[in-house]
């Protein structure tokens, strides 16, 4: 089986001294391609640099470029210009991580919405898909997206943790859905168990969101307590179980979906 991890924070400082080993473990586990998440202009630049440094073939590592809602208070006209340049790089395959976070509210909501709308406009201008973040803001996110959806090539709500109403609002907008190890958390993720059945094949993708969201069902757990892409098969197992399909079938259609969405090359089975 081949898997694609559509969201890994490889720029995180906790990975600074083991990125090559981490990627080797991921490839050994069948995670053959990874999309590195950019959460600020500087972070997106670093993600792009890591793609070149750690993948000379150009077939395994790709990235997004965007400004996370937590950092929206730093958004300026210069941010848009810098992102436009980054988004024209070959390895950058989507706009984001961008969106709304009304849970932590680390940036004023008006600033979050401004940064999001300007990034959606960039996605329309450049014909790029969008990698979206949302917490406690599904209704407002859907309202904003409706104004852009017909002009966007595609968009994925990454790390979906919402309820049935939010899921169907996103599916009605023809969005893709990213599922993480949140579904493995019996304390707060069990509501996702019946919902993942409702995500059509071709709209569902898998992600680690490493180093966050270590699957609580994973045995044995790493001493570091950090998640990593090599643990994505645990998310696959849990999602497959609740969808009532085989791991092979889920791996097949979620990987094909990710490759279409991010325009990733096929990698021959080795």
């Amino acid at each position: 089986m081949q898997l694609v991890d559509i969201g890994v924070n490889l720029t995180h400082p906790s990975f600074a001294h083991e990125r090559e080993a981490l990627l080797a473990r991921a490839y050994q586990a069948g995670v053959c391609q990874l999309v590195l998440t950019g959460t600020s202009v500087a972070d997106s630049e670093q993600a792009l640099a890591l793609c070149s440094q750690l993948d000379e073939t150009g077939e395994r590592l790709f990235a997004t470029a965007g400004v996370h809602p937590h950092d929206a208070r730093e958004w300026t006209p210069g941010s848009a210009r810098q992102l436009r340049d980054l988004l024209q790089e070959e390895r950058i395959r989507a706009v984001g991580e961008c969106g709304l976070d009304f849970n932590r509210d680390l940036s004023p909501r008006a600033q979050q919405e401004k940064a999001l709308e300007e990034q959606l406009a960039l996605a329309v201008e450049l014909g790029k898909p969008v990698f979206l973040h949302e917490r406690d803001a599904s209704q407002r996110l859907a309202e904003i997206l409706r104004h852009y959806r017909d002009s966007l090539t595609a968009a994925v709500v990454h790390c979906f943790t919402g309820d049935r109403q939010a899921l169907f609002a996103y599916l009605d907008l023809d969005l893709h859905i990213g599922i993480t190890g949140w579904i493995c958390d019996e304390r707060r993720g069990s509501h996702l168990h019946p919902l993942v059945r409702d995500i059509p094949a071709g709209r569902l993708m898998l992600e680690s969101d490493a180093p966050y969201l270590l699957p609580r069902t994973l045995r044995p757990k790493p001493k570091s307590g950090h998640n990593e892409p090599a643990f994505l098969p645990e998310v696959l197992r849990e999602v497959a179980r609740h969808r009532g399909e085989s791991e092979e079938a889920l791996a097949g259609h979620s990987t094909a979906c990710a490759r279409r969405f991010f325009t990733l090359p096929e990698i021959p089975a080795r």
Side-chain angles (χ1 to χ4, degrees):
M1 293 187 293
Q2 292 188 348
L3 295 175
V4 175
D5 186 344
I6 69 159
V8 53
N9 299 284
L10 197 62
T11 59
H12 195 276
S14 66
F15 292 147
H17 302 295
E18 63 161 349
R19 291 189 179 108
E20 291 184 357
L22 178 145
L23 291 173
R25 292 192 294 270
Y27 301 151
Q28 182 66 31
V31 182
C32 60
Q33 291 169 308
L34 302 90
V35 181
L36 314 188
T37 306
T39 58
S40 68
V41 172
D43 189 62
S44 300
E45 290 173 341
Q46 185 184 4
L48 175 61
L50 288 175
C51 288
S52 299
Q53 293 168 15
L54 301 174
D55 174 28
E56 294 181 357
T57 67
E59 65 177 5
R60 290 189 180 274
L61 298 184
F62 303 88
T64 69
V67 174
H68 193 286
H70 290 343
D71 296 316
R73 62 189 179 279
E74 309 294 339
W75 181 266
T76 68
S79 304
R81 288 192 295 271
Q82 290 172 290
L83 282 182
R84 182 181 286 105
D85 290 342
L86 274 171
L87 288 162
Q88 295 179 72
E89 295 284 345
E90 173 64 20
R91 296 286 191 113
I92 302 291
R93 296 302 171 94
V95 178
E97 181 176 357
C98 58
L100 301 175
D101 194 309
F102 293 173
N103 177 276
R104 298 184 68 187
D105 280 318
L106 295 185
S107 289
R109 294 184 180 185
Q111 283 294 102
Q112 292 186 43
E113 293 186 11
K114 176 179 174 61
L116 170 61
E117 293 206 50
E118 293 199 24
Q119 288 176 89
L120 291 174
L122 275 176
V124 171
E125 174 191 339
L126 300 173
K128 295 280 190 179
V130 184
F131 190 78
L132 293 163
H133 171 103
E134 179 267 309
R135 289 288 182 276
D136 294 347
S138 60
Q139 182 174 345
R140 184 63 182 136
L141 180 61
E143 289 171 355
I144 291 173
L145 286 171
R146 286 190 191 100
H147 294 289
Y148 295 87
R149 185 63 190 93
D150 288 347
S151 302
L152 288 171
T153 60
V156 57
V157 180
H158 120 89
C159 188
F160 177 78
T161 59
D163 59 15
R164 182 179 179 82
Q165 182 178 354
L167 176 63
F168 277 86
Y170 293 147
L171 292 177
D172 286 347
L173 284 167
D174 195 28
L175 304 186
H176 290 69
I177 305 295
I179 297 293
T180 64
W182 196 284
I183 197 173
C184 304
D185 190 332
E186 79 288 353
R187 306 162 304 173
R188 58 182 182 173
S190 58
H191 70 287
L192 294 175
H193 296 175
L195 293 184
V196 292
R197 285 180 173 266
D198 294 321
I199 305 171
R203 305 272 286 282
L204 171 63
M205 295 184 277
L206 304 178
E207 52 182 321
S208 67
D209 203 27
Y212 311 111
L213 301 180
L214 177 70
R216 283 177 57 85
T217 53
L218 184 68
R219 300 290 186 277
K221 287 184 168 55
K223 292 180 180 179
S224 69
H226 293 153
N227 193 16
E228 61 177 83
F231 304 147
L232 191 62
E234 185 67 19
V235 179
L236 173 80
R237 280 190 284 273
E238 192 73 2
V239 174
R241 182 165 73 90
H242 293 294
R243 282 176 63 86
E245 64 184 333
S246 70
E247 293 173 25
E248 291 77 10
L250 175 58
H253 68 73
S254 63
T255 295
C257 179
R259 285 179 172 154
R260 286 193 302 271
F261 185 94
F262 292 101
T263 321
L264 306 182
E266 298 280 340
I267 293 184
R270 292 180 171 87

